[in-house]
Structures are given as structure tokens and as C-alpha cells.
Amino acid sequence: DGGITQSPKYLFRKEGQNVTLSCEQNLNHDAMYWYRQDPGQGLRLIYYSQIVNDFQKGDIAEGYSVSREKKESFPLTVTSAQKNPTAFYLCASAGRGWNTQYFGPGTRLTVL
Amino acid sequence: QQPVQSPQAVILREGEDAVINCSSSKALYSVHWYRQKHGEAPVFLMILLKGGEQKGHDKISASFNEKKQQSSLYLTASQLSYSGTYFCGTEITDRGSTLGRLYFGRGTQLTVWP
């Protein structure tokens, strides 16, 4: 089955620890995106990548880092510098053309 | 650049109609509509590419007024399954080119009661 997978679905971490969220797609999409969702805030873009080995900051990149070493994978690291990391994180990918984005199931991160 | 959606919330009875609006302060290349159920990923509904273009998906349709930089989503004869949060995502143009990303509105929460 083609799709986007994110793991794990729920993640708990202690304050001050870095944590890496996984995002994999087998849709052969060039572009991949990371969003953060908080209640009432909509979807806010953290980072995006349109091609392997290249990525751009979104609107709320501070405290996050990414890599794009393979077309299929776009992991997001939430660092200890992120002041309020508890949120629902969504990964998306898009093929060439109209930038229609397809979303993974999301990871709910809770920092204790 | 974030588009403004209105209303923030709508409550309907099954069979009633609703309109959700999405307005941008920037020139638009395309508008994308998504629906998200609680705790799940947003699901793509439709994309509108040209000014005035209308698309349909079952009893859900949308229009795009390029000149007014806005789009509207129409839900007719609503069903219980239509409940969820609706987001518009806009792709803006900047000096003739797009940025390869979407700006999402804050969402409109739609609740359909039997």
C-alpha cells in the first residue's frame, strides 16, 4: 500500500530531551513537509523540503531541525530549545505539479 | 499570509446547507480544501486552480474568485459524516512564482446533528 507513515503515534519525553519523529513515504513524492497543530491554531509549517539534501524553514522553525538524506524520509528533531513542544505533529508529502499535500496519521508528542 | 476562514464554527441539522469562506490578503495561485476528523490526519477534498473554477465532490463543492482572492466551500444536504474541521490551504504567488508551500487557515469546525 502506498502512503505516509509516522511513528510512533504517541510519544512522551522528559523536558530537556531531544526527540526525533519519523516520517516515511512510498509515494515517490519529491516534496515533504512538517506541520505542528495546536488547538485553534490550524496547521503551522515547521520545515519543508522540495528535493533531497535541501530544505527550507517554515513559519515556526525555531527549536526544530530536519534532514533529507533520502527521498522517502524526512525526520524531524524536536530539540530542548523548543519552549513548548507538546503538540500534534503532522508530516505531509506532495508530488510534482499542484502541490496537493497528503498527510500521515500524525504523532502526538507530550513533554512532561 | 495566513488566510482567514469564516465562520469559526457551524452547527447544522442533517440535511441543512453550509458555506465556509476562505480569504487571502495575497494573490492566489491555488486553493486546497481539507477535512480533519478529531485526532486524525487532514484528508484532501479538492483543489481549485483557476479563477472562477468550481469543483465538486459528492455534495461538497467549492468556488474560487481569483480577483477577490477568496474561495468558498459549499456543503449541501449535510450528512453526519460531514462533521469535522475544514481547512483551506492557499498557495500564493510572489512576483509571478509560487513558493512551493501552502498557508493554512485556522479551520472551521462543522458539527452535524441528526
Side-chain angles (χ1 to χ4, degrees), chain B:
Chain B
Q1 282 92 333
Q2 183 181 38
V4 176
Q5 284 187 238
S6 63
Q8 284 187 313
V10 184
I11 299 175
L12 298 173
R13 289 283 187 187
E14 221 174 346
E16 292 181 338
D17 303 339
V19 180
I20 299 171
N21 300 302
C22 175
S23 179
S24 173
S25 61
K26 300 284 186 182
L28 296 175
Y29 177 74
S30 65
V31 179
H32 306 234
W33 285 97
Y34 291 80
R35 176 172 62 209
Q36 184 181 29
K37 304 273 185 178
H38 185 68
E40 298 179 6
V43 173
F44 172 72
L45 293 176
M46 64 189 78
I47 177 175
L48 299 109
L49 291 168
K50 302 178 215 173
E53 180 170 349
Q54 297 194 19
K55 287 227 166 184
H57 178 65
D58 195 11
K59 290 181 181 168
I60 300 174
S61 61
S63 63
F64 178 17
N65 188 322
E66 196 177 337
K67 202 171 181 180
K68 290 186 178 179
Q69 296 172 182
Q70 58 186 219
S71 175
S72 295
L73 187 72
Y74 306 94
L75 300 102
T76 57
S78 58
Q79 306 167 15
L80 296 176
S81 61
Y82 286 4
S83 291
T85 302
Y86 289 79
F87 293 98
C88 68
T90 55
E91 189 165 16
I92 66 174
T93 55
D94 183 24
R95 284 168 280 190
S97 59
T98 63
L99 302 176
R101 58 155 293 175
L102 298 178
Y103 292 89
F104 284 92
R106 293 194 171 197
T108 295
Q109 189 170 346
L110 182 81
T111 305
V112 182
W113 293 97

Side-chain angles (χ1 to χ4, degrees), chain A residues 82-94:
Chain A
Q82 169 49 234
K83 290 180 181 161
N84 186 17
T86 294
F88 188 45
Y89 290 88
L90 287 158
C91 177
S93 70

Side-chain angles (χ1 to χ4, degrees), chain A residues 12-99:
Chain A
F12 297 88
R13 279 292 182 269
K14 289 185 180 178
E15 198 172 333
Q17 289 181 334
N18 290 357
V19 59
T20 297
L21 310 185
S22 164
C23 178
E24 305 275 332
Q25 56 96 2
N26 60 5
L27 300 168
N28 199 32
H29 283 171
D30 290 309
M32 295 186 75
Y33 306 82
W34 273 106
Y35 293 91
R36 172 183 171 137
Q37 189 172 34
D38 298 282
Q41 294 284 336
L43 301 165
R44 293 187 290 170
L45 184 64
I46 306 172
Y47 270 98
Y48 63 112
S49 167
Q50 294 179 300
I51 196 167
V52 174
N53 291 323
D54 189 41
F55 47 83
Q56 290 78 40
K57 290 182 180 179
D59 304 316
I60 54 164
E62 188 174 344
Y64 299 98
S65 66
V66 293
S67 62
R68 186 86 188 276
E69 295 175 4
K70 297 187 297 182
K71 189 175 183 178
E72 304 80 24
S73 178
F74 191 41
L76 173 76
T77 297
V78 185
T79 74
S80 56
Q82 169 49 234
K83 290 180 181 161
N84 186 17
T86 294
F88 188 45
Y89 290 88
L90 287 158
C91 177
S93 70
R96 293 189 183 185
W98 311 123
N99 198 24

